[in-house]
Amino acid sequence: MTDYTLHYWQQKAEKLSLEGRAFIGGCYVDSASEKVFSCNSPIDNRQLTEISRCDLADVDQAVAVARKSFESGVWSKAAPVKRKATLLKFADLIAQHQEELALLETLDMGKPISDSMAVDLPGTLRCLRWSAEAIDKIYDEVAPTPENELGMVTHEPCGVVAAIVPWNFPLQMASWKIGPALAAGNSVILKPSEKSPLTAIRIAGLAKEAGIPDGVFNVLPGFGHEVGKALALHHDVDTLAFTGSTAIAKQLMIYAGESNLKRVWSEAGGKSPNIVFADAPDLLAAAQAAAGAFCFNQGEVCTAGTRLLVEESIKDEFIEHLIAAVKQWVPGNPLDPKTNVGAIVDETQHQRILGYIAKGSDQGGKLQTGGSAASPVANGFYIEPTVFSDVANDMVIAQDEIFGSVLSVISFKDETEAIQIANDTPYGLAAGIWTSNFAKAHKMAKAVRAGSVWVNQWDGGDMTAPFGGFKQSGNGRDKSLHAFSKYTEIKATWMKLD
């Protein structure tokens, strides 16, 4: 059994061979302009490699290749059992390269290597395998008809699917899109974030090795919004799946309306309430979970529980438990398996989080712990997990999605006020409820406007449960059988039999 140590991962990192080119039509290629941008590690801000800076010309080429592969039927018309076998082989190859891919995630966006190995890679494999296994078990329908007619309801692949994915869980979020999209028979163009493109580029080669036909799976790295905008405006892209900010989700829908009215499915921002009642079954366990809910992945999580709603009668006691739990989350070298708080993805995000911490103090929040930059590795980007108490829900730190480990503690008097505060946000992605009273839990779960509600835990569910949000947290759902509805068209066929 491998002895994972800081030295092990540092040695492995030194031997890595990094690919930075786009993947179009089954080949790694330079961008048409031959432009590149620098890919730096937030661990120490050193350059890892250069990445192809794709633009409209590359989008046109990739879409044409994807359309040709789709219309050829080489994948779209292949038997579901054949697509399943190929995707399972794809997952097996990712499993064989899991150390390499986990290391790329950590080097690229700064998450702890222990999380890359224990969370991101297993989640990716579970999604791909689950989606592959599901596709030959989804049945079409026969409508109730008169004796001399036959009515059929069938699901067909959309065509060319563009998937734009974020930088916080680069590979896992990609799998949530490409798993069902490929399983359903579509041709896919994956656009990773410029902040974390390495794993998306790497798995393209593994997809080809697994037997996914040329042109069916393409990867277009880009800088800024160049590639994403071009995909959203392209008249030959049928479906666009996006995970990222609410502002960008709105813009992509505008682009779709300005072009071919392509379907746009988005999982956008969040400002999730974690509600702790005085009758929670275990206040210590609730405090530990509350700490993890905003500290995990440096707080760079769309479902982060960054609004902690605590019943007034236990507020002081609970904050004591919370602070003790938060102090166990300490920034360190992401390549050290003992580290549980890694680096912030880049300097821009680092400064953004520190700016919100300053606003929290300026607006009257009481700083309980953290609040400063840290430096476990020279030149890297690190911030201490930060807790503010005495926060009003209209403060900027309670309303804006900071995407960093900054927690706002807000007190409430009763269920009615808890619901009012929980729903007083433009977002509706997730919520947590801690109570021993399951009648109360049911009532609260129904009242809170969120796509996922977790009772006496944080971040529950698996591939069998849909994931997505209410309100400005987006539309559509990832994971579960519901995800396939994003990547298929429903056709009604009605036949006269006499």
Side-chain angles (χ1 to χ4, degrees), residues 311-355:
E311 194 164 3
E312 278 187 355
S313 62
I314 60 165
K315 185 186 75 169
D316 293 339
E317 175 189 358
F318 194 81
I319 288 177
E320 288 184 14
H321 292 316
L322 173 69
I323 300 307
V326 170
K327 288 186 180 297
Q328 302 303 308
W329 292 82
V330 181
N333 188 329
L335 292 175
D336 188 341
K338 297 177 183 178
T339 293
N340 61 2
V341 177
I344 304 301
V345 69
D346 63 10
E347 185 176 9
T348 299
Q349 183 66 11
H350 187 258
Q351 291 302 313
R352 181 175 186 270
I353 296 168
L354 291 174

Side-chain angles (χ1 to χ4, degrees), residues 41-43 102 105-116 119-120 167-170 195-196 271 290-306 326 328-346 349-354 356-357 372 374 376 380-387 401-407:
S41 175
I43 295 175
E105 294 286 70
T106 293
L107 291 173
D108 210 4
M109 65 78 54
K111 69 173 63 216
I113 189 65
S114 55
D115 289 342
S116 295
V119 178
D120 294 60
W167 46 260
N168 57 334
F169 294 91
K195 299 176 188 288
S196 57
K271 196 68 180 178
F294 85 99
C295 291
F296 173 67
N297 209 53
Q298 303 74 248
E300 298 165 329
V301 185
C302 55
T303 57
T306 51
V326 170
Q328 302 303 308
W329 292 82
V330 181
N333 188 329
L335 292 175
D336 188 341
K338 297 177 183 178
T339 293
N340 61 2
V341 177
I344 304 301
V345 69
D346 63 10
Q349 183 66 11
H350 187 258
Q351 291 302 313
R352 181 175 186 270
I353 296 168
L354 291 174
Y356 272 106
I357 291 172
S372 301
F381 308 116
Y382 303 85
I383 295 177
E384 299 169 342
T386 300
V387 176
E401 185 181 36
I402 298 171
F403 230 58
S405 52
V406 180
L407 180 67

Side-chain angles (χ1 to χ4, degrees), residues 135-156:
I135 197 59
D136 64 348
K137 301 170 183 66
I138 299 176
Y139 289 82
D140 292 319
E141 305 166 50
V142 176
T145 61
E147 185 72 18
N148 63 338
E149 294 180 328
L150 175 64
M152 297 182 294
V153 180
T154 55
H155 297 77
E156 300 180 2

Side-chain angles (χ1 to χ4, degrees), residues 158-219:
C158 292
V160 176
V161 172
I164 302 175
V165 297
W167 46 260
N168 57 334
F169 294 91
L171 193 54
Q172 191 169 9
M173 294 294 98
S175 73
W176 286 9
K177 314 296 187 191
I178 67 176
L182 288 172
N186 298 283
S187 291
V188 174
I189 300 168
L190 175 63
K191 193 277 174 185
S193 168
E194 70 272 16
K195 299 176 188 288
S196 57
L198 293 179
T199 50
I201 294 170
R202 179 66 183 96
I203 64 168
L206 298 180
K208 180 180 177 69
E209 187 178 343
I212 294 177
D214 293 350
V216 171
F217 182 53
N218 310 275
V219 178

Side-chain angles (χ1 to χ4, degrees), residues 385-455:
T386 300
V387 176
F388 284 102
S389 65
D390 299 340
V391 175
N393 196 56
D394 60 357
M395 289 183 184
V396 68
I397 58 170
Q399 285 294 309
D400 289 3
E401 185 181 36
I402 298 171
F403 230 58
S405 52
V406 180
L407 180 67
S408 296
V409 182
I410 305 167
S411 62
F412 65 88
K413 296 182 180 67
D414 53 28
E415 292 176 47
T416 300
E417 187 179 19
I419 292 167
Q420 186 276 322
I421 294 171
N423 289 337
D424 185 17
T425 170
Y427 303 112
L429 194 54
I433 300 166
W434 298 79
T435 176
S436 296
N437 185 327
F438 269 72
K440 183 193 296 183
H442 276 290
K443 287 165 59 181
M444 290 293 297
K446 287 183 178 182
V448 173
R449 300 282 292 166
S452 295
V453 179
W454 303 308
V455 178

Side-chain angles (χ1 to χ4, degrees), residues 123 126-135 137-138 175-181 183-184 451-452 461-468 476-488:
R126 170 68 169 153
C127 178
L128 291 176
R129 287 169 173 158
W130 195 92
S131 300
E133 287 287 0
I135 197 59
K137 301 170 183 66
I138 299 176
S175 73
W176 286 9
K177 314 296 187 191
I178 67 176
S452 295
D462 58 18
M463 271 302 299
T464 64
F467 179 84
R477 293 296 183 267
D478 287 320
K479 305 198 300 182
S480 83
L481 294 179
H482 294 279
F484 286 94
S485 65
K486 300 198 308 189
Y487 305 110
T488 54

Side-chain angles (χ1 to χ4, degrees), residues 45-66:
N45 203 28
R46 69 181 176 89
Q47 186 183 66
L48 296 170
T49 189
E50 291 182 331
I51 305 295
S52 291
R53 182 170 178 168
C54 296
D55 57 21
L56 178 58
D58 304 287
V59 169
D60 285 341
Q61 181 187 0
V63 172
V65 165

